[in-house]
Amino acid sequence: MERKQFELGDVVQMKKQHPCGSNEMEIIRMGMDIRIKCVGCKHSVLIPRAKFEKNMKKVLRSKAAEDGLAEA
């Protein structure tokens, strides 16, 4: 099975939505645990990497792609 690719600053879609109603989360810290921040209400949560990888659906906006567009 292929590992999901994500980086610091990416906005990802999670399987379950946050209680505020948004299911978009921004990755703001990476390591053994990953801190994500809700795009809707700005609440942040620290979760283990394994749980994050299991619950992440897809990357919606990549930080690297945005940086590439800004430099051009």
Side-chain angles (χ1 to χ4, degrees), residues 29-59:
R29 179 182 179 273
M30 288 179 61
M32 279 300 292
D33 296 326
I34 295 182
R35 184 171 297 275
I36 54 177
K37 179 173 69 173
C38 178
V39 173
C41 67
K42 308 295 187 222
H43 184 260
S44 69
V45 182
L46 185 68
I47 58 175
R49 180 180 283 267
K51 186 173 181 181
F52 173 79
E53 288 179 352
K54 183 180 143 210
N55 292 332
M56 183 185 90
K57 268 189 169 177
K58 62 182 176 181
V59 176

Side-chain angles (χ1 to χ4, degrees):
M1 189 169 101
E2 184 181 327
R3 273 189 88 152
K4 297 176 182 172
Q5 298 293 319
F6 51 87
E7 297 178 19
L8 190 65
D10 288 354
V11 177
V12 298
Q13 181 181 15
M14 303 300 283
K15 286 183 180 175
K16 293 184 179 179
Q17 66 182 18
H18 191 254
C20 74
S22 174
N23 64 348
E24 294 184 10
M25 301 283 187
E26 180 183 358
I27 301 171
I28 56 175
R29 179 182 179 273
M30 288 179 61
M32 279 300 292
D33 296 326
I34 295 182
R35 184 171 297 275
I36 54 177
K37 179 173 69 173
C38 178
V39 173
C41 67
K42 308 295 187 222
H43 184 260
S44 69
V45 182
L46 185 68
I47 58 175
R49 180 180 283 267
K51 186 173 181 181
F52 173 79
E53 288 179 352
K54 183 180 143 210
N55 292 332
M56 183 185 90
K57 268 189 169 177
K58 62 182 176 181
V59 176
L60 297 174
R61 293 186 297 276
S62 175
K63 180 78 169 177
E66 290 175 9
D67 289 346
L69 291 174
E71 291 175 7

